[in-house]
Amino acid sequence: MELHQLRCFVAAAEQLHFGRAAHQLGMLPSALGRHVKLLEEDLGAPLFARTTRAVSLTEQGEALLRDARAILSRVEAVESAFRGRSRLQAARRLKIGAIDSAAAGLLPSLLRDFRSRHPDIAVQLVEDKTIRLLPKVLSGALDLAFVRPPARPDRRLEFRDLLRETAIVAVPRKHRLASRKMIALRDILSEPMIVPDRRSRPHSHDLTMNLFNEGGLSPRLVQVADEKQTIVNFVAAGLGLAIVPRWTMRMAISGVRFVPLKLAEGSTGRLPLAAAWLKASRDPARDAVLIVLEKQLQVYAKEA
């Protein structure tokens, strides 16, 4: 006895017409009749009395109809409960993407505060560059991403500006400027500079370039690198200096000292950070993160 056979039987028993029952189930009358016939053979008893004009239930059919309805009702209840649990589990998993800056700077504090309020929601973190995170948000692979806001944002995405990260100078520990309490741009004008690749990190690249350009200066670029970890390691090796976000200080790399950068009044020498998600989408778990973020943003911004 199979569940599909029982469904065919119940439909035929309720309709007392194989054609209407088959239409109800979206199948051919011959296929429905075959399933009913197989069920009768399995049970060893006729379930329907068939004439050229009508179909009626036998005594055995009447008895099976009561049991079949109870069985199918129980099966549907189990399926519904299982789907409900699956939806609940899906709702309790949140996939967040973050650039390295947010992953090291903002996210530890944010996720700590979020977990204290929502311990039942598991968070999966994906660290990558903005240019690779935003397509993942569009495809649904990520529920939320912390990125550098693009110059031309996709209209399918919602962006919320969060904070601007402070720029500092990474200097080799034995460099003549390493003991300074603060460094001005003119102090490093003749120094070899290491900058991120603009194709993959336009904001970080332009930060260095714009800081110098605002003062009518030109940096001495000697090295292009992609990852912050690589850039700081290059600094440690004495290949040059680099202007980086303040969170980079958390990297445990010996041979490097991080010195505050003295900026001219009105300078734009800070890196923007934004949250991005799919516009007009509903996600209670994501919204719960955004609520915590809004409440605590002033605290997080002080550390940026």
Side-chain angles (χ1 to χ4, degrees):
M1 183 189 304
E2 298 178 0
L3 287 176
H4 188 56
Q5 293 173 348
L6 284 180
R7 290 190 176 99
C8 290
F9 164 71
V10 170
E14 291 176 343
Q15 295 289 341
L16 292 179
H17 190 287
F18 277 50
R20 288 195 296 269
H23 180 73
Q24 175 184 321
L25 296 177
M27 58 193 302
L28 294 174
S30 59
L32 182 138
R34 186 167 58 252
H35 284 297
V36 171
K37 184 66 176 176
L38 289 172
L39 181 60
E40 289 178 320
E41 291 176 357
D42 288 342
L43 296 176
L47 302 175
F48 292 95
R50 303 169 177 86
T51 68
T52 56
R53 295 186 176 182
V55 175
S56 61
L57 284 170
T58 64
E59 184 177 345
Q60 295 95 327
E62 292 280 2
L64 179 61
L65 180 59
R66 292 190 296 271
D67 291 338
R69 282 171 170 165
I71 291 170
L72 292 177
S73 177
R74 178 58 184 157
V75 169
E76 290 173 1
V78 171
E79 290 176 341
S80 178
F82 186 82
R83 285 193 294 268
R85 285 194 296 270
S86 297
R87 284 194 297 268
L88 185 60
Q89 288 173 355
R92 288 177 176 173
R93 286 195 303 270
L94 189 65
K95 293 169 290 185
I96 295 179
I99 59 173
D100 53 5
S101 177
L106 172 66
L107 266 295
S109 297
L110 172 59
L111 294 183
R112 177 201 63 211
D113 295 339
F114 176 71
R115 184 169 294 174
S116 69
R117 294 167 172 79
H118 303 278
D120 57 329
I121 300 179
V123 177
Q124 177 186 350
L125 182 62
V126 176
E127 187 176 337
D128 212 329
K129 301 176 182 65
T130 295
I131 58 173
R132 290 205 280 262
L133 290 173
L134 293 182
K136 291 178 182 178
V137 176
L138 284 170
S139 70
L142 291 175
D143 303 307
L144 179 66
F146 294 92
V147 298
R148 301 292 182 208
R152 296 180 180 178
D154 192 306
R155 293 184 179 180
R156 294 171 293 176
L157 294 175
E158 192 82 35
F159 288 90
R160 180 180 297 178
D161 291 333
L162 300 177
L163 48 82
R164 291 183 175 271
E165 296 176 302
T166 304
I168 58 175
V169 185
V171 183
R173 186 165 291 279
K174 294 183 179 180
H175 193 277
R176 62 181 179 84
L177 297 174
S179 60
R180 293 281 192 91
K181 292 184 177 180
M182 188 166 286
I183 293 177
L185 287 175
R186 290 194 176 277
D187 297 329
I188 58 176
L189 186 59
S190 61
E191 297 291 335
M193 299 298 298
I194 305 168
V195 296
D197 182 359
R198 194 180 193 284
R199 290 172 298 179
S200 60
R201 297 183 183 274
H203 282 88
S204 297
H205 175 91
D206 291 350
L207 172 69
T208 298
M209 303 305 296
N210 291 340
L211 282 171
F212 280 92
N213 292 338
E214 285 174 359
L217 308 172
S218 297
R220 181 187 162 203
L221 303 183
V222 298
Q223 182 74 51
V224 174
D226 199 8
E227 303 295 339
K228 292 289 191 307
Q229 187 84 19
T230 304
I231 290 174
V232 177
N233 274 305
F234 281 171
V235 173
L239 297 180
L241 281 60
I243 296 175
V244 295
R246 187 163 65 180
W247 71 266
T248 313
M249 295 174 64
R250 300 183 183 184
M251 289 185 176
I253 297 178
S254 60
V256 179
R257 185 167 184 272
F258 297 96
V259 184
L261 179 62
K262 183 179 181 180
L263 299 174
E265 188 174 347
S267 174
T268 57
R270 291 169 71 86
L271 284 165
L273 185 67
W277 63 93
L278 200 60
K279 187 175 290 185
S281 61
R282 298 181 62 184
D283 188 334
R286 177 203 66 206
D287 294 343
V289 172
L290 293 174
I291 289 172
V292 173
L293 184 59
E294 185 174 353
K295 290 181 177 179
Q296 297 292 108
L297 188 56
Q298 289 186 348
V299 176
Y300 303 149
K302 291 178 181 179
E303 302 174 359

